[in-house]
Amino acid sequence: MGLHEECGVFGIYDFDKSNVVPYVVFGLVALQHRGQESCGIAASRNLEVQYHKDLGLVADVFTPTQAKTLDGHMAIGHVRYSTTGSSVRENAQPLVMNYKKGTLSIAHNGNLSNADELRAYFQDKGAVFQTTTDSEIIAYSIARERLNCSSVEEAVCRALPFLQGSYSLLVMSPRKLIAARDPHGFRSLCIGKLDNSYVFASESCALDAVGADFVRDILPGEVVTVTDDGITTVKQFAAEPAKCIFEYIYFARPDSVIDGVSVLKAREIAGKLLAQQHPVDADLVIGVPESGIDAAVGFSKESGIPYGRGFIKNSYVGRTFIKPVQSDRDIGVMLKINPLKENVTGKRIVMIDDSIVRGTTCAKIVKALKSAGAKEVHMRVASPKFLWPCYFGTDIPNRDNLAAVNYETTEEIRDMIGADSLGYLSLDSLHELIGSDEYCNGCFSGTYPVEVNR
Amino acid sequence: MGLHEECGVFGIYDFDKSNVVPYVVFGLVALQHRGQESCGIAASRNLEVQYHKDLGLVADVFTPTQAKTLDGHMAIGHVRYSTTGSSVRENAQPLVMNYKKGTLSIAHNGNLSNADELRAYFQDKGAVFQTTTDSEIIAYSIARERLNCSSVEEAVCRALPFLQGSYSLLVMSPRKLIAARDPHGFRSLCIGKLDNSYVFASESCALDAVGADFVRDILPGEVVTVTDDGITTVKQFAAEPAKCIFEYIYFARPDSVIDGVSVLKAREIAGKLLAQQHPVDADLVIGVPESGIDAAVGFSKESGIPYGRGFIKNSYVGRTFIKPVQSDRDIGVMLKINPLKENVTGKRIVMIDDSIVRGTTCAKIVKALKSAGAKEVHMRVASPKFLWPCYFGTDIPNRDNLAAVNYETTEEIRDMIGADSLGYLSLDSLHELIGSDEYCNGCFSGTYPVEVNR
Amino acid sequence: MGLHEECGVFGIYDFDKSNVVPYVVFGLVALQHRGQESCGIAASRNLEVQYHKDLGLVADVFTPTQAKTLDGHMAIGHVRYSTTGSSVRENAQPLVMNYKKGTLSIAHNGNLSNADELRAYFQDKGAVFQTTTDSEIIAYSIARERLNCSSVEEAVCRALPFLQGSYSLLVMSPRKLIAARDPHGFRSLCIGKLDNSYVFASESCALDAVGADFVRDILPGEVVTVTDDGITTVKQFAAEPAKCIFEYIYFARPDSVIDGVSVLKAREIAGKLLAQQHPVDADLVIGVPESGIDAAVGFSKESGIPYGRGFIKNSYVGRTFIKPVQSDRDIGVMLKINPLKENVTGKRIVMIDDSIVRGTTCAKIVKALKSAGAKEVHMRVASPKFLWPCYFGTDIPNRDNLAAVNYETTEEIRDMIGADSLGYLSLDSLHELIGSDEYCNGCFSGTYPVEVNR
Amino acid sequence: MGLHEECGVFGIYDFDKSNVVPYVVFGLVALQHRGQESCGIAASRNLEVQYHKDLGLVADVFTPTQAKTLDGHMAIGHVRYSTTGSSVRENAQPLVMNYKKGTLSIAHNGNLSNADELRAYFQDKGAVFQTTTDSEIIAYSIARERLNCSSVEEAVCRALPFLQGSYSLLVMSPRKLIAARDPHGFRSLCIGKLDNSYVFASESCALDAVGADFVRDILPGEVVTVTDDGITTVKQFAAEPAKCIFEYIYFARPDSVIDGVSVLKAREIAGKLLAQQHPVDADLVIGVPESGIDAAVGFSKESGIPYGRGFIKNSYVGRTFIKPVQSDRDIGVMLKINPLKENVTGKRIVMIDDSIVRGTTCAKIVKALKSAGAKEVHMRVASPKFLWPCYFGTDIPNRDNLAAVNYETTEEIRDMIGADSLGYLSLDSLHELIGSDEYCNGCFSGTYPVEVNR
């Protein structure tokens, strides 16, 4: 809690030429957890691109009336989280541009770590930028390469090596839908099949949402192109895979399978590991919804302590609310997740959360549990200590705000949040979550798979 | 799934005269599950009432900016579900009126079974009605009695005996906040205390949301009045309690305690009873979110079959969506709840849902589970067969649409929904959910606690 | 400038049963000058009434999409000006109610001077009021009478004698469209014919807008009913006509003809009279747009001094604007009407305005003219001094704000506004504007055609 | 009627560093007649630029709340007319970009006749375009030059020679406000002074609106720069002036003075010339509002035939309206301008309009006048025949739609519009309107001041 993913992407190409926009709407709703600030869809038919994007949830931006204004046999969509600012609406994606060869629409999930350098490079050549998105940089990169090669997919392949950082990318040219994933595979991207269409999505749960069958993940460094002639992998450049481990711990939906690993399973394993690493005598294991729940189930199975619901989550809570002025009561958190007194009263509780960022929310939840009658609250955290920034798309607060930075010892953090005991998942057990070493744990270890500009 | 509660109410009176509107906003958000179509708040200060109401969720209608336009040391709020119609906005509550003694604001949860007769009665005396809400009828009833008695609370007490059906009512006069519950206690209503304020809410979870302590439920037939002089119970008229059993099964939040019975507990008992009444050999018990989950936990505990999450619910799904035109695929349900393949594949599943209404959604869910790899799906329903209309505020489809009416036997329904076995909770075990016979089961039995106009 | 009309009404009944809503939209746009705060339409077909109303201009509230949600072979509409307040939206008209005999929709232009007494009367009988509009009182009055008579038109005829003050009224029952005008005829109301429809409108310009032919004015005290059987005058009760003279001077559009008198003509006569009563040696006559223009033409014709445009009016000016904070410049007025330097520089100007209310705007305009190079500005006012309140629907500021009250002599007012000379139209020449004595000049004389509650 | 200007620009630089945004709002409202589709403002303070733009009128887009979100000691604004399309919102101006030297904000009025060539040129170098506006091309042009020179104003001066066509331009760099006008001076642009600020506006009426004093017109080919150090003219490149004559005839407000010529005066002269070139025996001269009115006054003065108002214009008419389906009546035009029966009945009318485009609206107006009782209608057109396209920013329909193209003789056009006589202003008298030959009459003559790509 307290972290934000930046984006989700969804695209589809239908060989039967029927209108695919409704599917993109469904797919984006399934990816809404990856970004709630703005969303957009660009649809292409007969070489013409229409698009609509705005601030708001998919269901609000793409009402049936609005969705009907778009039509295309191929389309890409995007959901986005972003920090507030006057240019928020302008930064909504997909970005639709005209370059030498017609339109170019781009939806990007990730973060270019050399964005500033690339922007400066192009500006030195006279370029102007209208947004602060990486997509615009990617567009320039593709446009530049396109001048010297014979196809847009080749241009994409030539452009990508210049991009450092993370990207799961959908690019739509007048006749082609191209999907690409950075060589480290930081962010997920998979392919599905629905009738006579190919579907691309940040997570497999979005394939389910449109009734598509999962085909496979796009490989790190792979560029896939769909045209009327079919689907082809045009290139793959090698690098050491470094999937964002935090996708499994927090961002992704438990019903998604990413790079062959079930998110649900990864969380249950995290819970199992916590039970092994930080056992405790208790009556009930509960999870902080949503991402702590499956780890709690894993902890329960390993420890034999029964699992139960600890909280009811209110999904109607909006972004901002009027606050009672005269009160020092802390009622905001309770509005979002309310302890289930019936379950927790009189019990010694093991509470699993995905992570501790600032620690303030944790402290409130622990306090709420005790107010609800919990005798003891033993907090277990399904990730190691958060100590370092992410350069690949996760919005982590400034280091000065991180609990694990501000408090020297785990004991001090435990004291601050008011728990009876506290245990973090150990850094060296993270590989067990996904059964391989092909992940990035930079935010925990400070060691990144690529050089970063600190 | 497929049924709708009609309303939720929330009110507060602060002796310290601070602005209570923010608390009402919080309280209504906590009650949002009881009605999502429209909402409103009326606030009173210095004998003047301001109000705002509109279509939409509380978080959208009462943005911080909008909420700040209201101020009062007492206030009542309302969330409402309603069928679509041109006059929907006009029917939003609270209803604010001027009568002989000043303003009268009314928020009503329930359904008057003699509304037509009462409306005709008043029209015969020259009354005009601007809405189709019961609140307007209640207003006329109170206004009429107020002519012949010395206080508004007395007028309320005189008026209530004329109202048949269900009502949990908040009434705000220039100086008083009055809460009343019908003599059968069909709908819930409870009292809380927050600093120097009294709080009234349809469910106790809304007290938690504002940080208030639960004091007690308002008794069936009780009228409670708060003025500057304190809180008084002005009257109580007797009748046989007949609480809506469906509040426990489906409507209420599991973290609410209604008339001394934990909703969570009632659901777990329903699950336990199902395990006893319809045992089955299986690998996993899952619940259809949200209301089937706790019954699934109960079934698991009783049967020893492990509980697990069967679905991921998408809380971002809006009311309406553009539908793919050319497809006969049924992707809407999957967008809302997606089976967790990891958990269900290869398993014999017990699936608990709160009820079967039309049966069409059930059939889709069963099919989705099987597509996700479930070997068997044994459906258990945490309520008896739905056979009759409700006259007290639950929006049940026409009998012609009810599965239990359209199919003669349970076996036929099982066949229709595609489950491997099907079991309903027995009618005569319902009392075990709440530990008493003081409930209404009219929708299952066709026997109602009061005479109804069929 | 500075005064406000309260309302305009428009109704239509089509014997061919085609949808009349588009005509009502057009008619209301033509009457928009009579009220810009809110508007609404109620349409009836097959005994059912649909309605929509909201804050905003007709073109914004009744977009094509919105207008298409309404359908009816008869319909009434309303535009309204009102003071700001939280209940503004609730007070939008038409008011649609259900009474003993079905629906009753009412659109009212005017002001009941005994509204408080009537409201109290009905409240004493137990009535509740949801708005502060006179329409609700009228509804109660009709509903009460309807209990003891055999038709709605008879009920209207019986109810009207209890209403004091001004009303031009459209009432729609399930089968009938009724139009009524108060016995003094304060506010205008006329009948037109369009193909096989009867049309009713506050001003004849709205008949022109829909292509209808003017038939005649509804007489003071007349009640006209249209049903499938045709149009009938069901009653007429006598009183001394007392048309609002300010309709001619300021409110109505110059292209309207009210009670046989052209508004344009009346204004030209006012100008002619001013030239006779307050002659001056000058180079150019200009009018303050819009209502001063025709009087200026009249002054020019009578005096022989050339007429010219003195200002350009900006019709894009909205209700509220951000104001430069640090400036003491008075740029708001200039944004609305900008002097035409080309015309006024170096000239001795006669400037005609319809009235002086507070005098502040006049002062700014005079100053602006002088800044633009006018050598002299001789102000002529096309009405007598504003000294008294209006009880019949004109929104006049409190007496303390009236220039003619605050300054003892015309010379003092002239000094305040900075004009070189100032002349008002004499009170005893007002009758020449309309060629009869059948008018109300209460706001100038303090003498009203009926007793008023001061 | 039937033609559209494309844009208006307004900018201000305050040496005292106070917030100038409110002035820009006022200025844009005064220029609203030049574009009603979208508007925007970019404001700069401390090297940072904030902007807001959207579809809608200035008063709707820049509500006080919205306007307060912007702050700057310099700012530029834009109003825009455009054809409908999905990308309309994206094309709103000012365009705000980041280039090598920081932000660059551009507001452009005019039309580049070599836009396609320039766009292709930049695309050939790898550029991407996100809009279809000329501003984006201008931005690229400036950015390119900025790489090789030492100041933004020098970059502007270097870039402009590559732009062909018309432009009145405001450019805001981090520290400078630059105003430029194309070497032919097609579109107007003037400088004003307000306290310690410099103001730039498309028309002088906008200076009046903010209380600024007119200083002078920017010369064709002049580039003016304002910085903290004051105002400087950095360059002037020569070309034959070719001001758009249609600004005087139709687009500009009569209270504006453009390049030393009063728009009002120019129109009166057009009327005078018409009276000389096409005299007629008649009773009344009227003008079609707004732009025909002053020419009518001129005709009246020259001919001695009295001037009078012929129509009332309804300024509340929105863009789109629901249309009565079953009617073949033509009521739309009458809703906008309604003949003043009182003035025209029984009279021989001279009606002046600014131009005839398609002729359909003219025909309706003539018909309406005759329906209103006019005995004869003699149409006089304050411009020559419309025969050719404009390449410099006026939105003229395709030639196939022009009346003067479709009908061979004036007599045929007269017959089509139903007038009793018809006379156009002669092409060779146009110079009398502005007292010089420095104008472009390409749309009448087909002869353009620069080579165009037909």
Side-chain angles (χ1 to χ4, degrees), chain B residues 180-202:
Chain B
R181 199 174 168 196
D182 68 70
H184 296 282
F186 283 107
R187 300 291 162 208
S188 48
L189 190 60
C190 63
I191 314 179
K193 191 92 171 53
L194 169 67
D195 299 332
N196 210 9
S197 303
Y198 276 104
V199 185
F200 300 91
S202 286

Side-chain angles (χ1 to χ4, degrees), chain C residues 194-237:
Chain C
L194 168 67
D195 300 330
N196 210 9
S197 303
Y198 276 104
V199 185
F200 300 92
S202 286
E203 291 183 33
S204 65
C205 68
L207 301 182
D208 298 341
V210 299
D213 296 318
F214 177 82
V215 174
R216 64 174 178 86
D217 291 284
I218 293 191
L219 299 177
E222 186 179 9
V223 178
V224 172
T225 306
V226 187
T227 71
D228 257 12
D229 298 329
I231 188 167
T232 48
T233 284
V234 289
K235 194 195 172 192
Q236 190 177 340
F237 49 108

Side-chain angles (χ1 to χ4, degrees), chain A residues 71-322:
Chain A
D71 171 68
H73 74 283
M74 64 174 167
I76 61 175
H78 193 270
V79 291
R80 181 168 193 262
Y81 166 82
S82 74
T83 53
T84 312
S86 64
S87 60
V88 165
R89 197 161 79 183
E90 279 70 24
N91 279 343
Q93 298 200 29
L95 213 60
V96 178
M97 291 143 294
N98 265 279
Y99 80 133
K100 191 179 168 57
K101 296 294 184 176
T103 62
L104 200 62
S105 307
I106 296 183
H108 170 227
N109 175 27
N111 191 59
L112 298 188
S113 48
N114 65 336
D116 292 345
E117 293 87 332
L118 289 172
R119 193 178 284 108
Y121 167 85
F122 287 110
Q123 285 179 339
D124 277 345
K125 301 223 166 317
V128 297
F129 287 86
Q130 296 175 46
T131 76
T132 56
T133 65
D134 290 345
S135 293
E136 210 175 358
I137 295 167
I138 297 171
Y140 270 107
S141 303
I142 297 173
R144 185 186 56 167
E145 300 300 332
R146 188 67 180 87
L147 301 175
N148 305 311
C149 65
S150 61
S151 74
V152 63
E153 60 267 38
E154 194 186 333
V156 170
C157 293
R158 283 175 181 231
L160 296 186
F162 293 93
L163 310 179
Q164 283 165 24
S166 65
Y167 50 85
S168 281
L169 205 63
L170 295 180
V171 176
M172 196 167 64
S173 79
R175 287 188 184 80
K176 295 168 185 172
L177 179 55
I178 300 168
R181 198 173 169 198
D182 68 70
H184 297 282
F186 283 107
R187 299 291 162 206
S188 49
L189 190 59
C190 64
I191 313 180
K193 191 92 170 56
L194 168 67
D195 299 332
N196 210 9
S197 302
Y198 276 104
V199 185
F200 300 91
S202 286
E203 291 183 33
S204 64
C205 68
L207 301 182
D208 298 341
V210 299
D213 296 317
F214 177 83
V215 173
R216 65 175 179 87
D217 292 283
I218 293 190
L219 299 176
E222 185 179 10
V223 178
V224 172
T225 306
V226 187
T227 71
D228 258 13
D229 299 329
I231 188 167
T232 47
T233 283
V234 290
K235 194 195 171 189
Q236 188 177 340
F237 48 107
E240 201 173 340
K243 298 151 193 170
C244 172
I245 194 72
F246 221 63
E247 287 277 354
Y248 294 96
I249 294 170
Y250 175 66
F251 292 140
R253 266 174 50 168
D255 49 341
S256 287
V257 176
I258 300 178
D259 290 328
V261 176
S262 154
V263 173
L264 174 85
K265 198 78 198 167
R267 289 182 189 171
E268 284 200 8
I269 291 170
K272 187 186 78 173
L273 293 170
L274 278 172
Q276 293 167 353
Q277 295 169 12
H278 305 284
V280 62
D281 201 19
D283 306 312
L284 188 76
V285 186
I286 65 175
V288 178
E290 270 298 308
S291 42
I293 284 177
D294 298 306
V297 168
F299 193 104
S300 164
K301 284 182 185 166
E302 179 71 11
S303 64
I305 305 169
Y307 165 80
R309 290 220 281 182
F311 306 93
I312 294 301
K313 190 183 173 189
N314 186 339
S315 61
Y316 299 108
V317 176
R319 292 201 143 256
T320 56
F321 271 111
I322 184 172

Side-chain angles (χ1 to χ4, degrees), chain B residues 51 53-54 89-90 95-100 123-131 136 139-140 143 147, chain C residues 51 53-54 89-90 95-100 123-131 136 139-140 143 147:
Chain B
Y51 64 103
K53 46 190 185 180
D54 210 339
R89 197 161 79 185
E90 279 70 23
L95 214 59
V96 178
M97 291 143 293
N98 265 278
Y99 80 133
K100 191 179 166 58
Q123 286 180 338
D124 277 346
K125 300 221 168 317
V128 298
F129 287 86
Q130 295 176 45
T131 76
E136 210 175 358
Y140 269 107
L147 302 176
Chain C
Y51 63 103
K53 46 190 185 180
D54 210 340
R89 198 162 77 183
E90 280 71 23
L95 213 59
V96 178
M97 290 143 296
N98 264 278
Y99 79 133
K100 192 179 166 57
Q123 286 179 338
D124 278 345
K125 300 220 168 318
V128 298
F129 287 87
Q130 296 176 45
T131 76
E136 209 175 358
Y140 269 107
L147 302 176

